[in-house]
Amino acid sequence: MSFKRGNMKLLFILILSMITAWVVAAEPVHLKGSVIDKATKQPIPGASIFISEINRTVISDENGRFEIHPLPQKNVLVQVSFIGYKSIIQKVDLSTIDLEVTFEMEESTTTIDEVVVSGAYVMSRESSPVVISKVDRSAILMHPSPSLMSTLSRVPGVSEVSMGPGISKPVIRGMSFSRVLSVYQGARFENQQWGADHGLGLTETGISGVEIIKGPASLMYGSGAMAGVIHLLEENDASAGQVEGDINLRGYSNSLGGRMEAGWKGMGANGFNWSLRGASESHADYLDGDGQAVGNTRFNTHNIKAGLGLSQKWGDTKIRYTYLKQRLGILDEDEREEMVTTRNDRNMQLPFQQVTDHFLSSISNIFLGEDKIMVTLGYHWNFREEIEDDFEGIDLGLRQQNFMYDIKYFKSFSPSLEVIVGGQGFYLQNTNYDEAEEILIPDAIKDDRSVYSLLNYNKNNWVLQGGLRYDHRKVTADARADKFLAYGFELPGAPEDRILERSFGGITASGGATFRPSDRWRFRVNLATGFRAPDLAELYSNGPHPGTSRFELGNANFEREQNVQTDLGIRYRTPHYTLMAEAFYNRVDNYIFFSATDQRVEDLVVWSFEQDDAYLYGGEALVEIHPMAMKWLNFMTSYSTVIGQRRSDLSYLPYIPAFNWNQEITVRPSFSSNSLSALYLKLLGSWVMDQQRVALLEEQTPGYYLLGANIGAELKVAGQGIDVFLSGSNLLNKTYMDHLSLYRPFGINQIGRNIALHLRYKF
């Protein structure tokens, strides 16, 4: 891939500035202190002290003491948390090189607030005008799934489009596919999300949690974030002078699946840090609620991650690399019975996907007093091979390379006023394999350029945010190569030079406010615009798609999607219960969707993309009961709704999730002994309603109820601590079909009862 001279010059300047900053590193700042109970003044051992600006967490010792270094000499946001206490989120001034602080924690049966980073500014989640949900690592371990996206789908307003347990992609408030942007290692992750059979493509390996932005985030993330963002947060760095590690083993009963993961990380006293982690996972075909095996839903993944970094007073820099290889079986609806083999068979059979990713990224923060420069660079190689007829051949082969940069300058005008100005670029080159037997989309290049600014005002009980962004994208489709001529592939309109160019540009804006008059009340309103330029498949596809067994047809005349979404939220909290409600109205111009036609090419049904104006509306409500008289008990229930319709005739949009009602009861007994501690029990229920609001040619889907349970504790074996997580999903072994399952049109049921056991050993 080649880049313009201006890009190379920019990279040189950035690298030079980072090296210069490295050389002039000054004496680091130390933060020391204690965590105590506010009422009793007794120390709290095991409390977590987290500073997101440096991605560092330390745990208070048996005396409640802690120390973090090196740190930048500026104001930082510190989060202190411990089970049974209200989290503390507090700004700490690090202008003193050796600072001593004491955090006094109040008892509480629940914690609703935490620090989030996905809204550009590091702030309290409750203060953000943007709706952000967070799923931490412990929640993923408590209720794991073969697909990370299945675990995240318990978040109110979040669902998944799936092809069995191995392939799933996110749906946020009814919008999916390339309208949801993935952020990985701090950078945009693009892996052909336009394909119905192309999953999220990311795993839980080496992450500390996931933040989900619900609503347009185009202002900070660009095209593809008009529905929201799935942001995988990297695991925290080790403490200074420490080497830490863990080994994880997990098994699944339904698919006879197994997962192994191990990781090590360390940091020297000089701030140099490193990390290395690997994981391998394998699954056989799954069983539905009737005990019937669903053939060729087997899959396996292999994942390696490594990182090197330096943290100093001037700032920090981190370089990360990820290798991920997935082999994913694809069910053939015409040969379902023939594809069922022996119960523990894991050998790939036709058809299947082989997807390989190499992802290299770096994030550097340079602190200039209270200001900061943040530079994010990323390079991604994605190889997607769909193999249908012969193990030695490739039916559909796509090679994608992309480079991205994001440069932000955080300017602090006062403790309450900060402005971000920045620029982003994204250059993607997509190439068909020469040896591929089928062609769906042409070779193409996407070139994105943008500038943006965002203002944040945070004082007293108010947080105000607003921003503006301009984007320009140029898409060039090229079908001149001999492989296209031999195949007979034509671009729309059949241009003589076999090249088509499209440009998309425009302005987006957002504005929002959060008002917290007291600890009990929180009010939030946000008005934001988002956009998405049509992807390559929507514009130029003209061929069979092996993974979906259909002929797909694009339209080169599509305009860019543009939406305006209004969000309103309210939360009321007492020591005994919490009530929360969020409502949204999303008006979308030029909405692109996929639908079947009555045409056929040979034995394949033709599916074409269409464009129409649309709107989506709905919301989420949550009730949490946490009585102070029973601190060991917590009950939570949430309800999610979304309706999507075309504005032209009020007919319903496809791939819209059904209304959903979740319940969760958690019990944390105070019992503990020398061999057992941190015991918890959790009961989970999910009632998915009938989906009767269906698009043309979609069928209605009956509702269902799923029951799950978790139990876990920390065991001491020979003086060593082992975390044990035992979870069960669909315990009633319900036979059901989800409306967003791509297997639903073929009458194929979802996964039946599944028991997962996870063991984690830290050292």
Side-chain angles (χ1 to χ4, degrees), residues 63-125:
N63 299 313
R65 298 284 302 172
F66 69 89
E67 179 178 351
I68 309 178
H69 69 90
L71 294 171
Q73 196 168 343
K74 68 185 296 290
N75 283 305
V76 297
L77 196 65
V78 179
Q79 175 179 305
V80 184
S81 54
F82 188 69
I83 294 176
Y85 287 83
K86 178 183 175 182
S87 291
I88 297 173
I89 299 177
Q90 178 180 318
K91 281 266 190 181
V92 175
D93 185 358
L94 299 179
S95 57
T96 303
I97 292 179
D98 289 300
L99 183 65
E100 181 90 17
V101 295
T102 299
F103 295 106
E104 298 184 347
M105 304 193 73
E106 298 180 62
E107 280 196 281
S108 175
T109 54
T110 185
T111 296
I112 63 172
D113 206 3
E114 53 198 327
V115 170
V116 292
V117 300
S118 298
Y121 294 100
V122 176
M123 64 167 49
S124 152
R125 182 167 66 92

Side-chain angles (χ1 to χ4, degrees), residues 240-296:
Q242 300 292 319
V243 175
E244 306 166 9
D246 60 87
I247 298 174
N248 296 262
L249 301 174
R250 184 187 300 164
Y252 297 93
S253 66
N254 186 288
S255 60
L256 303 180
R259 177 180 171 83
M260 298 180 293
E261 179 181 337
W264 296 264
K265 59 184 179 180
M267 176 177 286
N270 60 356
F272 176 78
N273 57 82
W274 56 270
S275 62
L276 179 64
R277 184 168 291 274
S280 181
E281 187 165 357
S282 175
H283 293 263
D285 297 339
Y286 78 84
L287 304 178
D288 67 11
D290 293 327
Q292 300 296 315
V294 181
N296 208 25

Side-chain angles (χ1 to χ4, degrees), residues 50 54-57 137 204-209 232-238 244-246 248 261-265 274-278 305-307 318 320:
F50 173 60
I54 59 169
N55 195 35
R56 193 87 52 77
T57 297
R137 177 68 172 165
E204 63 185 80
T205 306
I207 65 172
S208 64
L232 276 67
L233 306 173
E234 291 298 307
E235 64 179 329
N236 300 332
D237 294 336
E244 306 166 9
D246 60 87
N248 296 262
E261 179 181 337
W264 296 264
K265 59 184 179 180
W274 56 270
S275 62
L276 179 64
R277 184 168 291 274
K305 298 181 68 171
K318 188 87 172 188
R320 295 184 176 95

Side-chain angles (χ1 to χ4, degrees), residues 615-672:
Y615 57 81
L616 300 95
Y617 58 93
E620 301 89 42
L622 181 143
V623 178
E624 187 173 5
I625 300 174
H626 37 80
M628 288 295 292
M630 295 183 288
K631 298 178 181 178
W632 46 269
L633 177 66
N634 189 81
F635 171 77
M636 187 274 291
T637 181
S638 65
Y639 189 75
S640 305
T641 68
V642 58
I643 296 173
Q645 294 177 278
R646 299 170 67 164
R647 299 212 303 265
S648 60
D649 59 6
L650 299 184
S651 61
Y652 294 107
L653 298 174
Y655 293 111
I656 300 297
F659 294 1
N660 182 276
W661 178 29
N662 289 333
Q663 312 89 41
E664 187 175 301
I665 300 175
T666 305
V667 177
R668 295 186 181 274
S670 57
F671 168 80
S672 64

